[in-house]
Amino acid sequence: MTESPLLEVDNLSVEFLQRGAATVNAVRGISYHVNRGEFLGIVGESGSGKSVSSMAVMGLLPSTARVTGDIRYRGESLLERDDKTLSKLRGKEISMVFQDPLSALTPVYTVGNQITEALKLHDSGLSDKAADARVIELLTTVGIPAPERRAKAFPHEFSGGMRQRVMIAMAIANDPDLIIADEPTTALDVTIQAQILEVLQKAKEVTGAAVVLITHDLGVVAGNVDRVAVMYAGRLVETGTVEQVLTAPRMPYTMGLLRSVPNMQTAGRSRLVPMEGRPPSLAALPPGCPFEPRCPASIDACSTAEPPLVQIGGTGPGSREVACIRADEFERGTLGIADVFPHPEPVPPEEQAQVKGATVLQVTDLKRHFPLTKGVVFRKTIGSVKAVDGITFDIEEKQVLGLVGESGCGKSTTILEILELARPQSGSIELNGVDVASLNSSARLKLRGDVQVVFQDPMAAIDPRLSIEDIVSEPLTVRGASRSERSAKVRELLETVGLDPAMSGRYPHQFSGGQRQRIGIARALATDPKLLILDEPVSALDVSIQAGVINLLQDLKDSRGLSYLFVAHDLAVVRQIADVVAVMYLGRIVELGEADNVFSHPQHPYTQALLSAVPIPDPRVERTRQRVLLDGDLPSPTQEIPGCNFHGRCPLFKILDAAHQERCIQTDPSLRSVHNSSVACHFAEENPLRVTGVDITEKEKS
Amino acid sequence: MFAYVVRRLIGGVFLLLLVSLVTFVLFFAGPINPAKFTCGKQCTPALIEQNTKALGYDKPVLEQWGTYVVGIVKGRDFPDDPALKKTAPETIAHCSAPCLGYSPQTSQNVTTELQPRIPVSVSLAIAAFIMWMIIGVGAGIIAALLRGSVIDKALVGVSLIFYAMPTVVTGLLLYQFVAIKWQLVPAPQYVPFSQSPVQWLQGLFLPALTLALYYAAGYVRLTRAFILETLGEDYLRTAKAKGVPRVRVLFRHTLRAALTPIVTQAGLDLGALLGGAIITEQIFSYPGLGALAVSSANQYDLPTTIGIVLVVATFIIIANLVVDVLYGLIDPRVKLA
């Protein structure tokens, strides 16, 4: 007899009834199953219904939701159960890890208290002493240092990564059979993400539970899950093993996702393929395939009826399910991913701006320390936060410098110091050969036109009460341009960034996130700057939108000869666009060099750890990768660290002998040239750590 | 924590000094010489001058303020004349610490005048406070949990009516119907607790209810809003996901967080009310600070007015401190420093 699946979701639909508006069909007839001990990934963009469907499994949807279909756990239907019996199941048999660990723990109770609550709810006979012991055991399992002490700490005393560990501890407290992890690493830094995924794997081993991992990140799926289900507009559009789906997708949406996300291995070699348009509104779906309006492979039949999810490739182990009427053509190979999503061409050489290679920005030994003070009336300085501690770099014309590092490393302070256009605390900043310290206020205003900025969150960075024309032309208004000049320039700029100039009278809320970011770019271009500072310009955008914005930035650079200071935490995006990379750690640059060189031969142990933490959306690579994992979090910036400030977390330091270690503890390494890069590590030459899966091992199949 | 409280108390003393200085300056900005009220119909310019001198009103403002502040700590004599004290002690009125001055209108020391009235206002304020917290917060919770239902709308609507109704109307209606027409309670009057706790409570019922209905109306809306806000928090989803039953999610995870802003508001409201409920005390002829504030202001009784201002300011400062300390206890993220 074959074992029945642990969880069966059968034709599940979730509708949200809205007063005075059309019903939102968040989930539309999806069926999937999870076997015991299996690791299933559900992938989709925001609004695809992936979270709603798992909340339905937990019975946690709000009362405005109407759920139909069936959800069976161990063969028994969950939908008919009342809240009381469900709550006996929740946290005991099925538990959940949520996205934002900063808000997912009750702020007024200690973490020990909250884990104990989970334990005692399902085991009323548990003694206080036994509960305490179990809490400490759980915290140890998820890798929280000093668990006895930390159990008594409140959630706000933990970092994001540590809170997510607590969430996992809570989820495995009662030895569940199914753990649903809803975007568990989305809000975290890439190094912390790698740690959390490791903990999740460990939790799975310890409990033997099946795990459902919900994510938008194909890379996260590649290295962890057995099977993948791709969701789009409330439906499953493709399922299969992780190898099948990621290496030989049969649904154009999956193909588009894979092509639009830069892969850190291959980034920069070929241009990204943007997926045009955006997902349809779930309140007003088209009659045909919901992906049809965005699908380059669509044919007439696509717009008449929605294709069902059907099995292809026989019934054996190679079988999988796809919802596309052209799936057979993909399966037979008569239609390939390159036919559907060809790589767009770069700006042709004759249209490229010719530059001489002059230095646009020169930053020398820039420092910014913030004093730490104590006392209310009589303030005294008790230390300082070295946000930026002596960094040097330059950017040439038509060059992109990628500045990377974990949050809190000083990237943002660096940008702010440059944008200030004033004498820095220490060191110097030269823009177009002019030392900004020497500027008077009118010269400063003039020079400000040469350096412009694009911010991370396009929702927050443009004024919702101004029309697009007013937003884009404001830099010109300040400089006294006439109305007709401004209007002509706005039309030209909107065209340049790929927006319809006729839309200049509209307001920001009428645009999507990607379009708003284009508006932000148009505004930055209004003064014809030489240098654009891009502060995480794509990290707030959905993956399918990112590619278009990145391509736009590349084209603008080529045709206008712009230089970029590109700040990002997503290393694949940086590799896609940057010529030179600077890796920052605690206010210092630890490695600086040509992007290709740094990405294929990272020499500083921190760079190695950063790169190996980035997941690559290719299961073949992920399974064979060697990782260099970092311990713990970024130290507090107020802490004074003697010697090399990375030695406490350094994977290389751990394998050095005592004499070498002493040098790391005693002497602060400065940047020096090693194999064509600048590296701040005493032992870069002897570094035996190797990061695999970073360089291209085989040519990308297309 | 202890250091924090001490520091706040010292700050409070400075604040009171500042309040007394400002009221003192305002005192002299007016055209009224308090000594005029010392002798009534027999006043002659000479007599007024003599009394002005005896009460110290001839000295410079700052010096008088200094004497006043010292008097609060040490007590003082009127007139402050050591020579006279030896020769004719019977002509000197002593005002013992804490001396808030001498009121010519009532021929009494202000402190003596205020002392019996403080318990009256405090009993009224505390009784009203307990009632409005139970009514307001309770109704707020019910309204939030049944959001959108008829009960929710009824509670919010009724609270709006009471909020719009001045205490003078509510108070008179309650007096007229509950006490006189239906005789459900004896006619309200103040009976000291020490005399008869039962009568004290009976007498308090209507005036406290008058105040409570007004304040509760605001708290219904406040509580409802904060609970609804908290109900959207991610950590409630976490609690449900670990199997916490509905009721427990509400009481353990929701209320505690929603409570914090309510505690702030409640503390400040109570602090202000301790200084006397002017209209309510008038309606129910309660001999509290509020009633005295009205009569002393009407009679240009400046020393009494200043005394009341200082007492009220003290209550508010203490209430503020209590709120801040409670805040630290309720929410571990708040660090008292």
Side-chain angles (χ1 to χ4, degrees), chain A residues 337-644:
Chain A
I337 183 167
D339 304 323
V340 183
F341 289 105
H343 293 290
E345 289 304 314
V347 177
E350 63 272 17
E351 286 174 31
Q352 295 226 358
Q354 298 304 312
V355 293
K356 292 193 280 291
T359 302
V360 177
L361 176 72
Q362 171 73 54
V363 173
T364 315
D365 200 26
L366 178 70
K367 278 186 187 152
R368 182 76 174 108
H369 295 183
F370 297 99
L372 281 178
T373 56
K374 202 184 166 184
V376 185
V377 185
F378 303 104
R379 291 189 173 275
K380 56 179 182 231
T381 307
I382 52 162
S384 64
V385 173
K386 292 174 178 165
V388 177
D389 194 24
I391 63 170
T392 301
F393 62 86
D394 60 74
I395 302 177
E396 290 172 13
E397 279 179 286
K398 211 178 155 189
Q399 193 182 46
V400 180
L401 178 102
L403 191 60
V404 299
E406 291 167 280
S407 20
C409 73
K411 295 177 301 207
S412 300
T413 311
T414 307
I415 297 179
L416 292 176
E417 285 297 300
I418 294 168
L419 287 172
E420 194 82 12
L421 292 186
R423 183 189 296 278
Q425 209 171 37
S426 167
S428 71
I429 299 168
E430 277 178 38
L431 197 64
N432 291 332
V434 182
D435 188 343
V436 297
S438 68
L439 296 174
N440 59 29
S441 60
S442 64
R444 184 166 294 130
L445 178 66
K446 200 155 166 290
L447 196 64
R448 214 176 270 291
D450 281 344
V451 50
Q452 289 290 306
V453 62
V454 176
F455 295 100
Q456 174 171 13
D457 184 358
M459 307 288 170
I462 53 182
D463 191 327
R465 288 168 199 83
L466 293 181
S467 71
I468 300 311
E469 168 143 8
D470 289 339
I471 290 168
V472 175
S473 68
E474 196 165 23
L476 302 169
T477 317
V478 175
R479 285 166 177 78
S482 74
R483 178 172 281 275
S484 59
E485 271 175 305
R486 292 198 312 250
S487 183
K489 184 82 180 177
V490 167
R491 297 181 72 82
E492 180 205 317
L493 287 169
L494 289 180
E495 202 134 3
T496 311
V497 298
L499 293 174
D500 182 358
M503 300 196 289
S504 66
R506 296 197 188 171
Y507 288 84
H509 69 267
Q510 294 167 295
F511 293 86
S512 70
Q515 287 175 319
R516 274 188 246 195
Q517 196 58 300
R518 286 169 192 264
I519 293 164
I521 294 170
R523 173 181 59 179
L525 292 176
T527 57
D528 289 316
K530 307 259 189 331
L531 173 69
L532 275 195
I533 293 182
L534 304 164
D535 185 4
E536 302 266 12
V538 295
S539 66
L541 306 177
D542 242 326
V543 281
S544 68
I545 312 290
Q546 278 190 8
V549 174
I550 294 171
N551 284 353
L552 169 69
L553 289 170
Q554 273 175 327
D555 290 346
L556 288 172
K557 181 199 78 169
D558 287 342
S559 58
R560 295 182 162 229
L562 290 173
S563 307
Y564 297 150
L565 173 56
F566 191 96
V567 174
H569 69 276
D570 185 337
L571 292 153
V573 169
V574 171
R575 185 168 200 185
Q576 178 67 28
I577 196 167
D579 303 307
V580 179
V581 175
V583 181
M584 272 188 94
Y585 186 77
L586 286 182
R588 300 281 190 91
I589 289 177
V590 295
E591 184 156 359
L592 173 72
E594 295 288 326
D596 262 347
N597 205 14
V598 172
F599 277 96
S600 54
H601 302 291
Q603 299 181 66
H604 195 282
Y606 179 65
T607 316
Q608 293 174 324
L610 265 189
L611 294 184
S612 80
V614 178
I616 290 167
D618 187 335
R620 295 163 304 185
V621 177
E622 278 292 320
R623 301 244 150 116
T624 56
R625 260 175 107 186
Q626 237 175 302
R627 287 198 192 275
V628 178
L629 272 190
L630 279 190
D631 287 342
D633 295 326
L634 205 63
S636 154
T638 58
Q639 203 180 327
E640 285 278 347
I641 304 166
C644 174

Side-chain angles (χ1 to χ4, degrees), chain B residues 244-316:
Chain B
V244 181
R246 234 176 97 90
V247 178
R248 193 175 154 97
V249 169
L250 175 70
F251 282 97
R252 202 176 122 88
H253 292 271
T254 314
L255 277 187
R256 173 107 179 244
L259 209 63
T260 331
I262 297 172
V263 165
T264 313
Q265 188 64 40
L268 298 182
D269 281 347
L270 177 64
L273 198 58
L274 285 172
I278 291 174
I279 292 167
T280 312
E281 286 179 11
Q282 290 281 334
I283 296 170
F284 294 97
S285 31
Y286 251 55
L289 288 171
L292 181 65
V294 176
S295 64
S296 61
N298 280 338
Q299 296 165 20
Y300 306 107
D301 188 351
L302 293 173
T304 308
T305 308
I306 293 181
I308 292 175
V309 168
L310 281 184
V311 169
V312 173
T314 311
F315 281 135
I316 290 177

Side-chain angles (χ1 to χ4, degrees), chain A residues 204-248:
Chain A
K204 185 174 179 304
E205 278 163 36
V206 171
T207 57
V211 177
V212 176
L213 177 68
I214 299 167
T215 179
H216 67 277
D217 189 337
L218 293 165
V220 168
V221 161
N224 293 287
V225 310
D226 307 317
R227 279 193 307 125
V228 180
V230 181
M231 277 192 88
Y232 185 77
R235 296 273 295 226
L236 288 178
V237 294
E238 178 156 14
T239 67
T241 65
V242 64
E243 280 83 5
Q244 286 172 334
V245 175
L246 294 193
T247 58

Side-chain angles (χ1 to χ4, degrees), chain A residues 293-308:
Chain A
R294 302 171 77 187
C295 183
S298 71
I299 52 176
D300 289 346
C302 294
S303 51
T304 50
E306 192 167 357

Side-chain angles (χ1 to χ4, degrees), chain A residues 103-104 106 109 113-114 122, chain B residues 234 238 240 242 248 252-253:
Chain A
S103 56
T106 308
Y109 299 110
N113 181 325
Q114 296 187 52
H122 300 290
Chain B
D234 285 348
T238 308
K240 283 181 216 151
K242 66 184 180 188
R248 193 175 154 97
R252 202 176 122 88
H253 292 271

